Amino acid sequence: MEMLAYSHENNVISKQLYTLLNEIGTPMKKQQNEYLFHSGMDANEIFLLKSGLVHIALLTSDGKELSLRICKKGDIVGELTVFSDNPQYLLSAKVIEPGELLVINREKLERELMTNSALTFEFMKWISDHMRKFQLKIRDLLLHGKKGALYSTLIRLSNSFGKKQGDGILIDLVLTNQELANFCSATRESINRMLTDLRNLDVIAMTKKGEILIKDIAFLRNEIGCELCPIQVCNIN
């Protein structure tokens, strides 16, 4: 395969797929707190992020939120609807950092992919990879409980947004304790207690901006029996 032209640390799409999406997509800018789509809407479009951040979540009927992804440059959003009959979005996508994206008509993309088996294979592999990551997140929650979900979330955040420092890995993204709780199906109070325990153990520290510095990532990995999956799998996006 040729050099990957549109990529970041964790996920990549090929130059050929990016070129196709760019040719058939329409540029659009989105501001903070705008939604790309809501759960249950007819899925007529998918999106490729060129800048900014988009939060993907499952909203339950009782108003609870389970966060699943934070997408950034190079990520495809809404891809699970491609090649589905009468598709609807299963999740909701909210812009949390303004940016630019490409809006791609789903039916047009399907027609283009049907004429190119290599790109179809690549696109389906992308979907398969995201389903695998989703299954691993659910596994962590079921096997290791709220604490394991928090620890694995911190590891994934470090792989997606981490910057190596002399004393650890700085997660270059400010999340409130409630936002962390939404990734773990936990309450804000329980996340407060677990983060305090980690600070007391000198596993993490907090910056003045509210960023998390992971000082002992080996502790987090040991606690959940981390299998050291590649970053392409172990990330938050």
Side-chain angles (χ1 to χ4, degrees):
M1 183 176 289
E2 295 183 17
M3 187 69 178
L4 297 167
Y6 203 83
S7 65
H8 52 74
E9 298 88 346
N10 303 324
N11 293 296
V12 291
I13 61 175
S14 68
K15 178 180 178 180
Q16 295 94 328
L17 181 55
Y18 173 71
T19 298
L20 170 62
L21 297 178
N22 197 56
E23 287 177 350
I24 66 176
T26 302
M28 178 181 292
K29 292 184 178 180
K30 285 288 187 179
Q31 300 303 314
Q32 188 173 2
N33 295 325
E34 287 190 86
Y35 277 86
L36 301 183
F37 51 81
H38 293 276
S39 174
M41 288 177 52
D42 290 338
N44 299 315
E45 300 162 331
I46 70 166
F47 306 86
L48 172 68
L49 297 189
K50 302 185 78 172
S51 62
L53 298 175
V54 172
H55 174 246
I56 307 296
L58 173 64
L59 301 177
T60 64
S61 57
D62 58 358
K64 294 181 180 179
E65 179 177 283
L66 177 61
S67 297
L68 297 173
R69 299 171 63 192
I70 296 178
C71 304
K72 57 182 179 177
K73 178 180 177 180
D75 281 326
I76 300 173
V77 178
E79 73 280 1
L80 298 181
T81 64
V82 176
F83 295 118
S84 299
D85 294 329
N86 303 314
Q88 293 182 332
Y89 296 114
L90 302 176
L91 310 170
S92 296
K94 180 181 180 181
V95 177
I96 59 175
E97 182 180 290
E100 184 178 356
L101 49 86
L102 288 174
V103 183
I104 299 131
N105 179 271
R106 178 185 55 80
E107 292 183 348
K108 189 171 185 179
L109 174 61
E110 290 175 351
R111 290 195 297 269
E112 293 290 338
L113 290 176
M114 291 296 289
T115 66
N116 190 318
S117 59
L119 289 187
T120 300
F121 175 78
E122 180 184 345
F123 196 87
M124 299 309 291
K125 184 177 183 299
W126 180 280
I127 294 176
S128 176
D129 288 344
H130 278 290
M131 291 301 297
R132 180 185 177 194
K133 287 191 285 186
F134 174 73
Q135 290 170 346
L136 290 174
K137 291 173 186 176
I138 298 301
R139 181 203 65 177
D140 289 343
L141 179 60
L142 293 176
L143 293 183
H144 304 293
K146 313 295 186 183
K147 182 180 291 188
L150 174 62
Y151 291 5
S152 63
T153 296
L154 292 175
I155 293 170
R156 290 188 174 96
L157 284 168
S158 73
N159 286 335
S160 292
F161 295 95
K163 292 184 176 180
K164 290 186 178 180
Q165 309 285 311
D167 51 352
I169 302 173
L170 180 68
I171 298 175
D172 189 25
L173 178 69
V174 177
L175 294 174
T176 67
N177 287 0
Q178 182 60 60
E179 288 169 333
L180 279 175
N182 290 343
F183 276 102
C184 308
S185 189
T187 64
R188 179 176 58 84
E189 292 76 14
S190 64
I191 293 298
N192 290 346
R193 289 193 295 271
M194 287 186 279
L195 290 176
T196 298
D197 291 341
L198 290 176
R199 287 198 298 270
N200 291 337
L201 291 170
D202 203 32
V203 174
I204 67 169
M206 305 296 294
T207 70
K208 292 181 179 179
K209 294 181 180 180
E211 301 161 317
I212 296 176
L213 174 69
I214 300 178
K215 302 174 70 175
D216 188 357
I217 198 167
F219 174 89
L220 301 178
R221 289 172 173 161
N222 290 335
E223 286 294 300
I224 62 172
C226 179
E227 299 172 353
L228 297 177
C229 299
I231 290 179
Q232 288 82 359
V233 174
C234 185
N235 59 67
I236 207 69
N237 53 309

